[in-house]
Amino acid sequence: MKYLDGFRNPEAAAAITADIKEFAEKLPKDRIFRLMEVCGSHTMAIARYGIRDLLPENVSLLSGPGCPVCVTAAGYIDAALELARQGKIIASFGDLLNVPGSDGNLAAARSEGISIEVCYSPLAALDIARKNPGREVVFLAIGFETTIPTGTSLVLRAQQENLNNISILTAFKTVPPALEALVSDPELRIDGFLLPPHVSAIIGSDAYRPFTDKHHLPCIIAGFEPLDMLYGLEGLLKQLLENRGELENQYSRVVKPRGNLKAIDLINTYLEPCGPIWRGIGKIPGSGLELREKFAEYDAAKKFGIEISAGNPDSRCRCGEVLKGKILPEGCPLFGKACTPGSPVGPCMVSSEGSCAAYYKYSRSK
Ligand code: SF4
């Protein structure tokens, strides 16, 4: 009960936890039921509130590939470094700077005097372009559906202002095709998904219907509050007990069936599906978005003839297995030894939403 005291409503948390235990006890005894959260913020909150420790022994909660920084390929960092060394100004979110490429990271390059600017929003990159009319500015446009619209709006604004010295290096990823890749991995055997709230607010709950109709797996969109997540897990176990595999939207106060229509329209106008490389996972068909050909002048890869490969990440790092839920961070021999937040070997230890960073921060202190 140690963790329940930290909940805003410990009585409600205790009641839901009791339901979870009751449902789990009624499930078949011959196996472990494997649920997965696919949102980096869920991962961090689950670790912070000790939610894994509240689950019965026959329920395993895996962390999926929902941290955008973690799934960014080493080859993408290599491409950004190549552009920086060609003299372009690189504009990036801060947490990408420490992500290792094949040979070094952006933070180290920055300390050598290469132009790398930290932005808190994609639109801040426009300011850099305005102030440096004689230089090319490349914004590192990574992220899931939550951040894709603001990354795309950079191109819209650049067009409106006739700003032609800015482009984006895209590594946008989308969640539904990733779910498809996860369930098609026979080693994983996932019994249900806790779906991401912010991504779902953009794409809408209906976006998961083709997936749930095809696989009949319990899938629940849950909020970020610890009670939301517990309630979501309770719902997944209830569905399993009742032999149901349905989509439930428990976060309907924010997530609507058709999502954010304005954001979806912006995405569809500027972007089209592609098959990007996910770090440690490989290519997932249709799991990314890139600029349509008519906006090629804003696509840094096309504008400067850059190829994005998988790169050569440190072969000791097991981020791929962590991101697929095949091992927990503690299963990596480097965890907490050669790899720490102060000296990360892989991106899962870099990002504030990374599984390894979450485990390091919260699990080790118990
Ligand atoms: Fe990679 Fe470090 Fe996590 Fe191991 S502990 S999987 S090296 S990030």
Side-chain angles (χ1 to χ4, degrees):
M1 290 291 155
K2 168 185 156 193
Y3 293 109
L4 292 179
D5 297 339
F7 281 64
R8 197 176 295 180
N9 185 340
E11 293 79 24
I16 301 172
T17 308
D19 280 350
I20 287 176
K21 198 165 167 245
E22 184 193 325
F23 296 155
E25 272 169 9
K26 289 180 181 164
L27 285 168
K29 300 276 177 287
D30 56 344
R31 70 183 186 93
I32 304 285
F33 288 85
R34 295 157 63 83
L35 310 177
M36 177 179 273
E37 94 267 359
V38 280
C39 166
S41 299
H42 271 167
T43 298
M44 193 47 93
I46 284 165
R48 180 173 179 197
Y49 290 97
I51 286 176
R52 260 187 198 84
D53 297 282
L54 299 175
L55 298 177
E57 279 185 358
N58 63 335
V59 177
S60 173
L61 182 55
L62 314 168
S63 299
C67 154
V69 166
C70 304
V71 295
T72 300
Y76 179 85
I77 303 297
D78 300 346
L81 283 167
E82 188 181 335
L83 289 168
R85 289 186 177 122
Q86 286 174 7
K88 280 82 180 169
I89 300 175
I90 301 298
S92 170
F93 292 127
D95 51 358
L96 205 52
L97 264 57
N98 288 312
V99 172
S102 302
D103 184 20
N105 61 30
L106 293 161
R110 191 183 190 210
S111 65
E112 289 162 13
I114 284 177
S115 299
I116 296 170
E117 302 281 343
V118 174
C119 297
Y120 295 98
S121 110
L123 298 183
L126 290 166
D127 252 346
I128 300 171
R130 287 183 204 112
K131 286 176 187 156
N132 294 276
R135 302 272 306 273
E136 285 287 343
V137 176
V138 177
F139 177 71
L140 303 186
I142 70 157
F144 286 99
E145 289 94 332
T146 323
T147 47
I148 290 173
T150 45
T152 309
S153 65
L154 181 155
V155 176
L156 169 70
R157 289 280 293 275
Q159 273 187 309
Q160 287 169 340
E161 291 182 33
N162 243 338
L163 209 53
N164 55 16
N165 65 328
I166 188 161
S167 54
I168 62 175
L169 188 66
T170 55
F172 290 141
K173 311 252 180 350
T174 51
V175 168
L179 299 179
E180 193 65 48
L182 289 165
V183 291
S184 58
D185 186 330
E187 279 182 44
L188 275 177
R189 294 185 300 98
I190 294 167
D191 294 297
F193 286 106
L194 208 56
L195 296 173
H198 283 163
V199 162
S200 305
I202 299 292
I203 63 177
S205 53
D206 285 352
Y208 302 104
R209 295 249 172 245
F211 175 80
T212 47
D213 288 351
K214 180 176 170 191
H215 296 287
H216 306 290
L217 268 181
C219 287
I220 292 182
I221 302 167
F224 289 119
E225 289 282 326
L227 278 182
D228 287 334
M229 290 180 283
L230 274 184
Y231 192 47
L233 293 167
E234 179 207 38
L236 290 175
L237 292 174
K238 190 162 192 281
Q239 284 201 35
L240 285 169
L241 194 59
E242 294 169 356
N243 218 5
R244 290 185 289 126
E246 296 166 7
L247 174 66
E248 278 179 46
N249 180 9
Q250 290 184 352
Y251 199 43
S252 57
R253 60 188 190 269
V254 173
V255 177
K256 305 301 168 206
R258 293 172 63 208
N260 181 328
L261 297 180
K262 211 169 161 190
I264 291 171
D265 184 52
L266 183 70
I267 290 172
N268 289 339
T269 302
Y270 282 87
L271 305 170
E272 60 187 2
C274 62
I277 299 162
W278 296 54
R279 186 185 285 246
I281 299 176
K283 266 196 178 197
I284 303 179
S287 69
L289 291 166
E290 63 184 6
L291 282 170
R292 293 183 183 278
E293 193 55 42
K294 60 182 169 183
F295 304 111
E297 64 187 294
Y298 296 102
D299 184 329
K302 288 182 181 147
K303 190 173 183 181
F304 305 114
I306 291 279
E307 285 276 328
I308 298 175
S309 69
N312 293 302
D314 192 314
S315 59
R316 301 168 302 161
C317 173
R318 296 180 68 183
C319 276
E321 289 158 273
V322 171
L323 289 164
K324 282 193 274 190
K326 288 189 175 175
I327 60 166
L328 291 174
E330 286 148 334
C332 171
L334 273 54
F335 177 81
K337 298 176 191 121
C339 182
T340 63
S343 178
V345 176
C348 296
M349 190 61 94
V350 172
S351 171
S352 57
E353 296 190 343
S355 298
C356 300
Y359 269 72
Y360 187 88
K361 188 167 181 188
Y362 296 111
S363 300
R364 280 166 41 94
S365 57
K366 283 190 299 183

